[in-house]
Amino acid sequence: MGEQVTGPLTKVGIVGTGVISGTYLDHLAKLPGVDVVAVADLDLPRAQAIADKNPAIRALSPEDLYAADDIEIVVNLTIPAAHAAVHQAALAAGKNVYGEKPLAMDRAEAEPLLKYAAANDLRIGCAPDTVLGTGTQTARAVIDRGDIGTPHAATAFMVTPGHELWHPAPEFYYKPGGGPVLDMGPYYVTSLVTLLGPVVRVTARAGRAKQQRTIHTGPRAGTVFDVEVPTHVTGVLEHESGALTTVLMSFDVWAGRLPRIEVHGTDGSLSVPDPNGFDGTVEIVTPEQREWTEVPVAGGYAGAGRGVGVADMARAVRTGDPHRASGELAYHVLDVLESFIDSAVQDQPLDVASTVTRPAPVPLGASPETA
């Protein structure tokens, strides 16, 4: 890996032009090796509005985007309930596909996608790609160097009062496929697997503070809707390495001072920045230095934003190397998260059937076109 790649840009088409698409469009325009040439949405005027502002981008129906000869990667930014269907349609058209998390609503939907892609020599990539930034990658470099000895424990906390306070149409966060575990859990578990390796067993408990929620903003403010999933889930992940991670994921906490992620080793402790971001300060405590001390950046794509995983995958498609934000990693994370929820419902520890190899680290100073 690491050979410089030259030649035509990889043409990208985006399906789904909701809130998150603006962030992807902004960042993909700045990334090497990729070129967004089309957008599609079931609401074609919404896609056309983007094309009207970007002369190099054309608006298409989803079916026409899948069929377009110039598009090599379809970026799937639809709602979670549509992820699997859009992935399958893109794969069936011979396209590589990269999607927002989760990979699919559940393992039963996700597994056939991976099998189809493998059988047809196609790639699946999946957010979050935040772990490719300097935050998580610097923390990984610290662990891999042995600066905290052997990691044996970690904590991961994500607490918020709920998305209905800011999102104008938040219902899908509270339906199957949503909830704090499947919504925000992918950021945390992807980071934890990147740092500590795959998870082999989970134990969890779950609750739901409210049976209904009220939208606070936008034209539907005041609308009441039902909560269909657990909104407060806590428990333990057992990593293959032997490390134990204590997890809390909640939409039921008004405020908290809990750290995002900490990793504790035999020779020190590590503070990892918010895995929902690409950078942030990494700090360490050791027996010799008992105060939290900032760690210099030691890895990751500098200045990264959403979509860097697409560029990383585009480079891998051209070179034949593995890509880091892979479907296999996303499937293992989904398996862990679904098992976590199942453990709470069944009131028993559960083994995690899947496993995955930690993706290659992102070297310090790397570009997604060359790393």
Side-chain angles (χ1 to χ4, degrees):
M1 298 179 66
E3 302 243 343
Q4 182 153 1
V5 180
T6 59
L9 299 177
T10 298
K11 305 296 185 181
V12 174
I14 293 176
V15 178
T17 57
V19 175
I20 195 66
S21 66
T23 301
Y24 270 85
L25 285 163
D26 288 346
H27 286 291
L28 285 169
K30 303 170 186 174
L31 288 168
V34 292
D35 182 24
V36 178
V37 297
V39 293
D41 199 283
L42 292 175
D43 182 358
L44 188 57
R46 191 160 70 169
Q48 188 62 54
I50 292 175
D52 290 343
K53 297 177 182 178
N54 299 273
I57 297 176
R58 61 192 190 272
L60 302 172
S61 70
E63 292 74 20
D64 287 342
L65 188 145
Y66 304 142
D69 290 337
D70 59 332
I71 292 173
E72 299 173 68
I73 296 177
V74 172
V75 175
N76 180 1
L77 304 183
T78 59
I79 62 172
H83 284 182
V86 171
H87 281 346
Q88 185 57 55
L91 291 167
K95 310 299 186 187
N96 302 295
V97 63
Y98 180 98
E100 255 302 317
K101 49 78 188 168
L103 178 62
M105 289 282 282
D106 54 34
R107 291 163 291 202
E109 280 192 343
E111 188 172 7
L113 299 173
L114 295 180
K115 289 182 176 179
Y116 186 93
N120 291 276
D121 196 26
L122 294 169
R123 303 276 185 131
I124 296 180
C126 189
D129 52 5
T130 47
V131 295
L132 304 182
T134 56
T136 296
Q137 290 294 319
T138 293
R140 172 167 177 172
V142 169
I143 291 171
D144 289 353
R145 289 192 311 237
D147 292 1
I148 62 168
T150 301
H152 59 81
T155 55
F157 301 116
M158 192 297 299
V159 297
T160 173
H163 296 336
E164 71 276 11
L165 297 180
W166 60 271
H167 199 292
E171 288 94 333
F172 71 93
Y173 287 112
Y174 297 90
K175 294 180 180 295
V181 172
L182 290 178
D183 175 42
M184 295 301 294
Y187 296 104
Y188 287 77
V189 175
T190 304
S191 183
L192 289 163
V193 171
T194 298
L195 297 172
L196 299 173
V199 175
V200 296
R201 191 171 173 83
V202 299
T203 305
R205 300 288 291 172
R208 189 182 314 177
K210 302 175 184 178
Q211 300 305 311
Q212 294 182 318
R213 301 258 176 162
T214 302
I215 299 173
H216 284 244
T217 187
R220 298 174 59 238
T223 300
V224 176
F225 60 91
D226 292 333
V227 176
E228 301 177 30
V229 294
T231 49
H232 185 98
V233 187
T234 186
V236 175
L237 311 180
E238 302 176 35
H239 295 265
E240 185 178 74
S241 65
L244 301 177
T245 297
T246 301
V247 176
L248 170 60
M249 301 279 163
S250 183
F251 286 169
D252 293 336
V253 176
W254 282 102
R257 293 179 176 176
L258 300 165
R260 300 296 187 177
I261 294 177
E262 289 181 350
V263 179
H264 306 288
T266 53
D267 296 315
S269 292
L270 189 66
S271 175
V272 183
D274 186 352
N276 193 21
F278 287 86
D279 50 19
T281 300
V282 177
E283 295 181 307
I284 190 172
V285 166
T286 65
E288 295 75 27
Q289 175 62 48
R290 300 297 297 274
E291 298 293 330
W292 287 109
T293 303
E294 184 173 344
V295 177
V297 172
Y301 294 130
R306 295 190 191 278
V308 70
V310 179
D312 183 273
M313 187 171 86
R315 179 265 313 153
V317 168
R318 295 191 294 265
T319 64
D321 291 328
H323 58 289
R324 294 177 173 88
S326 69
E328 291 75 17
L329 175 59
Y331 180 83
H332 179 64
V333 168
L334 178 61
D335 192 8
V336 171
L337 296 173
E338 193 173 353
S339 298
F340 201 58
I341 295 170
D342 290 345
S343 172
V345 171
Q346 298 176 26
D347 192 21
Q348 64 178 342
L350 293 177
D351 292 337
V352 177
S354 67
T355 190
V356 72
T357 300
R358 284 203 302 167
V362 179
L364 179 64
S367 161
E369 191 177 22
T370 61

